[in-house]
Amino acid sequence: MTTTYPDPSASLDDRVAGLMAQLTLEEKVQLMAGVSSFALHGIERLGIPSLRMSDGPTGVRSIKGEAATVFPVGVAVAATWNTETASGVAAAIGREAHALGEHVVLAPTVNMMRIPTWGRNFETYAEDPYLAGVMGVAFVRGLQGEGIGASLKHYAANNQELERFNVDARVDARTLREIYLAAFERIVVEADPWTVMASYNNLNGTLASEHRHLLTTILKEEWGYEGAIVSDWTAVRSTAPAANAGMDLEMPGPAKWFGDKLLAAVRAGEVSPAQIEDNARRVVRLIVRCGLMDDAPRPVGELRTTRHKAIAFEAACEAMTLLKNDGELLPLRSDVESVALIGPNAARVLLQGGGSSQVTTDSLRTMAEGLRDRLGPGVTVLEALGVDNDPFPPPADRRQFSPDPERSGEGLASTFFETADLSGEPNRTGLERHLMRWVSAAIASARRTAYASFRWSGWYWPEKTGVFEFGLRATGQATLRLDGNALISPDDPAKPDRFDVMGSLVPRRLGSAGLVAGHGYRIELDYTPASAENDYLALGVRTPAEPMTRAIEAATQADAVILVLGSAAVTEAEGYDRADMDLPGEQNALARAVLAANPNTVVVLNTGSPFALPWIDQAAAVLQMWLPGETGPDALAAVLFGDRAPGGRLPVTFPETFGDHPAHRPNADPLICDYMEGLAIGYRFYDAAPVRPLFPFGHGLTYTSFEISDLRMADTVRAGEPVSLGVTVSNTGARPGAEVVQVYVAQLDPRLPRPPKELKAFAKVRLDPGETRQVKLMLEPRAFAPYDPETGTWPIDAGDYEVLVGRSAGNIQVKATVRLEAC
Ligand code: BGC
């Protein structure tokens, strides 16, 4: 019997075969489901340890609540249009995963941004499958290069949160292949992610997790995928249909549909031993690839190091996308005498989106803090909120809490009880610093020792005088007391709330109190979770409202204004979509008033998706900073003052209004989503539509100017061969900067109807002032091919194709025609 599996010098296939030969049917089936939320079974008999997974792609979300570096979110990484940045961020995430003892990071998300209101737009890359595919290849290579497995998600057509578990995405075969599968195909073929995650939704009437055509025929057979298909968490909803479709791994554990039920199905002949052999082999392959069977010590990795912060910082700067810069208002001069920092997102810490990608962080640095530090003491800084944008009290800031009246620490003292009613001896105490999300480390470790209720206590120190609004979101029973009086209790009516936490609605209760700045208020928060698996608690505090007039006054007095608008904590998250494209709260009114008060206003958008900007004509300078990760506040300052150049280009079209958008109409039946626009997603729609977008796909200005000229390309090429081309790029301005050369292809007189043009190659070129470079690009044969649903192939038709080179979908600089000749 072969025993090559412990030998790292043996081939992967031999090691996998060696292990498979030793496993019993029961053990194989056991490996096809998790043992717990994010871990697989270990098989002690064979020395197989338990494989561990954690969420991404913004960083490593440790389920123990350990803090990790928060990198710029997916859309920001894509906005760099720089594959080296994507792989550098991913490699850093890989090293953090090692440091946290993880083996697989559930990233990247590469679903298309079909609608501007999707709650997870921030987490994914683009509206274009070529851009998403190329960036995804780089991410997977970077992560797996560190020995950490990727999970390419969510396969497939998972483009909305509305009814995400049940919606039926109805997509015609051609649109599916050209738009919704194309990024997956490229990444699978070029980067071989060790896992692919099957999505929750139905695709054309069949659950993705039971879709044999999707999982086996296309992914495993056609694309030759040898890795493991893991279900999205709870996406498996049957035993034999899922296993037979090619689902290899049911998550989370313990098994609900696989495990004993799967074993019984095999014994009953509903699932063949050959099917199990194939499914389990893929999980075993994952285990071997993750290095679990190697004797060598695992890399120690690194966590939150200076190097990782620097990677996050450079990526955040490079992602910043300059939408408008009339009169060269940016970069701001460092010798300004006074600056007003206005807007709800100047004062808050909105680094990332919500949901499973949310990384635990200790970073509390606000945009205003980053800007103040950059400006230094010589500049007068006026700060004003302007308006609040949060429909609910935003996450509590631990700096306003202390465990004792001396303010010896930040946060609250925590106490745990074995009983559900906080009676009996407290078992353990500690300092809770994360008051605003999953109950975190405290409960995760407490669960193991059967703690059943919790108390956090200490003092609250308001920084302003006025009426404060407190909010509690909790599953189970939660009570908040201030100075001994119950401010929020479980009997209070719960606020109706469309914002869920990972798919389930968590009740929210509110209470208000008049408080005086500088005074310490005794606070107690008691909590009994609904169950050990359902333990969400979040405390929010809204500081007293401020009249908008204060902001207008500050704007009038200052030399320059930095107005930071954007999403509130609940605006962009997994679990729900937005109802419209509007910035939340009265931010548009604030923008109009501030822009009228001071023309030297730079508007900064702290969002992860396109939003409507109805005041855009009034604004000279607008910078899209995305959800920038933990170094965002310093990256913003560096870009605004010209220490770094904004390097981003839009990976998604910004429509002027939601009504303009091709997919804005909701389906009458929320359980059905017809992709009626077909191929006309994003710029593929706007290129042919009577309406112009506000900012086209690929748009982004720089602090310098570029010229793209002299397109060189053969006139005639044999169909099926790649087409090489070259252009000359010059930096004609006075500052260094980077141009993104974008190559679009349009078929003239197409046999099948085709979008007006499609992105098929790009290159990012960094040039000093006066520098000129010859840039070479290559159009692969597939760049010319539509998918033909009749034949199930990608035929390349002979004929003429226009190759358009420019700096956005709306700004083509040079073009030429190539004739593809039949071979
Ligand atoms: C999300 C996945 C995530 C998983 C585990 C699901 O709800 O859709 O993206 O990886 O949860 O947290």
Side-chain angles (χ1 to χ4, degrees), residues 756-822:
K757 66 177 186 294
E758 297 181 279
L759 181 77
K760 295 296 176 184
F762 65 87
K764 192 159 197 181
V765 197
R766 199 167 298 283
L767 295 177
D768 283 328
E771 195 181 343
T772 289
R773 194 165 318 151
Q774 310 299 325
V775 179
K776 288 191 169 38
L777 296 112
M778 208 263 297
L779 291 166
E780 56 200 10
R782 184 63 85 78
F784 300 93
Y787 179 78
D788 187 343
E790 293 297 316
T791 57
T793 59
W794 297 82
I796 301 171
D797 293 330
D800 289 343
Y801 293 79
E802 202 165 38
V803 174
L804 308 102
V805 184
R807 51 172 70 106
S808 79
N811 184 353
I812 299 302
Q813 300 283 301
V814 277
K815 56 185 180 183
T817 302
V818 61
R819 168 156 300 174
L820 297 190
E821 284 190 330

Side-chain angles (χ1 to χ4, degrees), residues 197-527:
M197 187 187 290
S199 58
Y200 288 126
N201 53 288
N202 291 270
L203 174 64
N204 295 325
T206 305
L207 275 175
S209 61
E210 295 173 10
H211 209 300
R212 189 168 166 88
H213 186 67
L214 187 67
L215 304 187
T216 296
T217 313
I218 297 181
L219 175 56
K220 293 181 177 176
E221 293 173 2
E222 204 181 298
W223 299 345
Y225 184 58
E226 284 290 325
I229 300 180
V230 52
S231 71
D232 199 343
W233 268 227
T234 71
V236 170
R237 276 176 257 165
S238 66
T239 304
N244 287 333
M247 174 63 71
D248 302 315
L249 177 55
E250 181 194 8
M251 288 301 286
K256 191 161 173 216
W257 293 99
F258 282 11
D260 290 346
K261 283 186 188 152
L262 184 53
L263 203 55
V266 179
R267 294 199 168 121
E270 291 162 26
V271 179
S272 69
Q275 180 71 56
I276 297 295
E277 198 63 17
D278 183 64
N279 296 356
R281 181 178 53 78
R282 291 164 182 275
V283 180
V284 167
R285 194 177 167 87
L286 173 67
I287 290 170
V288 176
R289 279 175 141 182
C290 287
L292 264 67
M293 303 311 295
D294 298 351
D295 271 346
R298 294 187 66 73
V300 290
E302 56 181 274
L303 190 61
R304 304 177 70 210
T305 51
T306 317
R307 169 159 82 138
H308 286 184
K309 282 197 198 317
I311 290 171
F313 172 79
E314 295 299 343
C317 293
E318 198 182 359
M320 300 230 182
T321 309
L322 185 56
L323 298 178
K324 209 178 161 186
N325 195 19
D326 291 355
E328 297 194 357
L329 182 55
L330 285 173
L332 289 169
R333 295 159 52 106
S334 294
D335 60 358
V336 283
E337 284 178 8
S338 59
V339 175
L341 305 179
I342 300 177
N345 286 41
R348 78 160 72 237
V349 192
L350 192 73
L351 308 174
Q352 51 181 331
S356 62
S357 68
Q358 194 163 345
V359 177
T360 302
T361 177
D362 279 335
S363 180
L364 294 171
R365 197 162 166 75
T366 62
M367 302 303 164
E369 282 166 322
L371 291 163
R372 251 195 270 122
D373 287 353
R374 171 62 180 75
L375 286 165
V379 181
T380 307
V381 177
L382 309 167
E383 278 188 56
L385 185 69
V387 294
D388 193 352
N389 63 0
D390 216 315
F392 305 107
D397 179 340
R398 66 161 187 262
R399 293 177 292 191
Q400 264 85 64
F401 295 83
S402 67
D404 49 42
E406 291 77 38
R407 294 191 85 167
S408 69
E410 292 172 352
L412 291 173
S414 48
T415 318
F416 311 105
F417 300 84
E418 280 174 35
T419 57
D421 62 356
L422 296 107
S423 61
E425 279 300 298
N427 275 278
R428 198 173 114 186
T429 55
L431 185 65
E432 175 62 81
R433 288 155 64 83
H434 301 291
L435 304 164
M436 64 281 237
R437 347 149 288 113
W438 306 100
V439 182
S440 83
I443 288 191
S445 51
R447 255 187 215 157
R448 267 177 249 131
T449 37
Y451 292 106
S453 59
F454 305 83
R455 169 167 293 162
W456 290 273
S457 57
W459 274 259
Y460 178 65
W461 304 89
E463 283 185 339
K464 292 179 180 175
T465 297
V467 178
F468 283 68
E469 191 182 21
F470 292 80
L472 269 190
R473 295 185 81 189
T475 55
Q477 308 271 304
T479 304
L480 180 71
R481 278 186 299 276
L482 208 62
D483 275 352
N485 303 317
L487 201 60
I488 302 175
S489 56
D491 305 331
D492 294 344
K495 271 281 232 212
D497 181 344
R498 73 183 173 87
F499 301 104
D500 67 7
V501 176
M502 312 279 287
S504 48
L505 286 171
V506 177
R508 184 192 302 270
R509 294 183 169 82
L510 303 174
S512 302
L515 306 178
V516 177
H519 183 79
Y521 293 84
R522 177 108 185 95
I523 192 164
E524 269 169 345
L525 175 53
D526 292 348
Y527 178 50

